[in-house]
Amino acid sequence: MNIRTVIIYSSVDGQTRRICEEIKEVLHKNDQPAELYSIDDFKGSVSDYDLLIIGSSIRYGVHNEKIIDFIEKNKEKLDTIKTAFFSVNLVARKPEKNSPETNPYMLKYLKTTAWRPKKLEVFAGKLDYKKYKFFDRTMIRFIMWMTKGPTDPHVEIEYTNWEQVRAFGKEVGAM
């Protein structure tokens, strides 16, 4: 039986997209092809799939509004298929905040929605000050200063644990 799989994401700076591409590759290696769409490009129906994975980055403390709207509009259909949701954020760089049970953004999201995907995950993102526009760079540096993170405007640090991403892909593919 061929499982129809789709991965839908929202990515501000590209790291969430990279994570989705890695998950897609893991699924492909396990003979489970998947379609990959940004939330802006997805025109299909949830009903067309057996497995739907949603990934969303955090910017200024919230998941992308289009992802939230998509989930709210499709909640009933999402509840009839296998689903997974992951959040990408820099807070997850801290070991005590890198799981769905301890990440403040995941916990906040779960309090505001009735949707319960079958699998949840949190991944640390990438910090790349050179890539940010002035306002974002300034705000992210301030947030990092408050959370005792790196503030050097020239720093680029990839916090994503790629083994964790691949493990998630295998687990989701086995659902």
Side-chain angles (χ1 to χ4, degrees):
M1 182 173 105
N2 205 7
I3 296 174
R4 297 167 301 167
T5 302
V6 65
I7 304 168
I8 301 171
Y9 69 91
S10 167
S11 187
V12 178
D13 298 309
Q15 192 70 1
T16 303
R17 178 184 45 76
R18 285 185 60 216
I19 290 168
C20 288
E21 289 168 349
E22 185 67 21
I23 293 167
K24 180 181 176 185
E25 183 63 27
V26 167
L27 293 170
H28 177 76
K29 285 179 181 175
N30 289 310
D31 295 323
Q32 188 174 344
E35 298 173 30
L36 177 63
Y37 298 98
S38 90
I39 188 65
D40 294 323
D41 296 332
F42 182 73
K43 306 297 181 218
S45 169
V46 170
S47 304
D48 294 339
Y49 299 95
D50 304 302
L51 171 61
L52 190 142
I53 303 163
I54 298 176
S56 183
S57 61
I58 290 286
R59 184 54 64 101
Y60 302 124
V62 295
H63 290 99
N64 182 292
E65 188 176 312
K66 290 179 183 178
I67 291 284
I68 303 304
D69 289 345
F70 175 84
I71 291 168
E72 289 176 6
K73 288 177 185 166
N74 291 284
K75 186 203 171 300
E76 287 183 24
K77 290 178 186 175
L78 289 168
D79 288 342
T80 66
I81 64 172
K82 296 174 186 170
T83 56
F85 176 73
F86 67 88
S87 177
V88 179
N89 56 78
L90 288 172
V91 169
R93 75 188 188 280
K94 297 181 174 188
E96 70 275 12
K97 295 183 180 183
N98 70 357
S99 74
E101 299 79 25
T102 61
N103 186 270
Y105 299 122
M106 182 64 82
L107 294 172
K108 178 181 165 185
Y109 174 71
L110 291 172
K111 286 181 184 175
T112 63
T113 183
W115 179 52
R116 291 297 176 261
K118 307 215 177 3
K119 177 75 177 150
L120 294 169
E121 191 58 88
V122 176
F123 301 116
K126 180 178 181 179
L127 180 65
D128 189 356
Y129 286 119
K130 297 178 298 278
K131 203 175 197 181
Y132 307 140
K133 293 178 183 172
F134 176 78
F135 179 78
D136 289 333
R137 183 173 48 252
T138 303
M139 292 302 295
I140 292 168
R141 284 182 72 204
F142 178 68
I143 292 165
M144 282 296 187
W145 175 78
M146 290 185 349
T147 62
K148 299 182 181 17
T151 58
D152 177 347
H154 300 60
V155 79
E156 178 181 339
I157 303 171
E158 184 162 342
Y159 291 104
T160 305
N161 178 334
W162 293 102
E163 285 304 315
Q164 178 190 11
V165 171
R166 288 186 277 279
F168 174 78
K170 288 177 185 173
E171 289 174 26
V172 169
M175 287 194 324

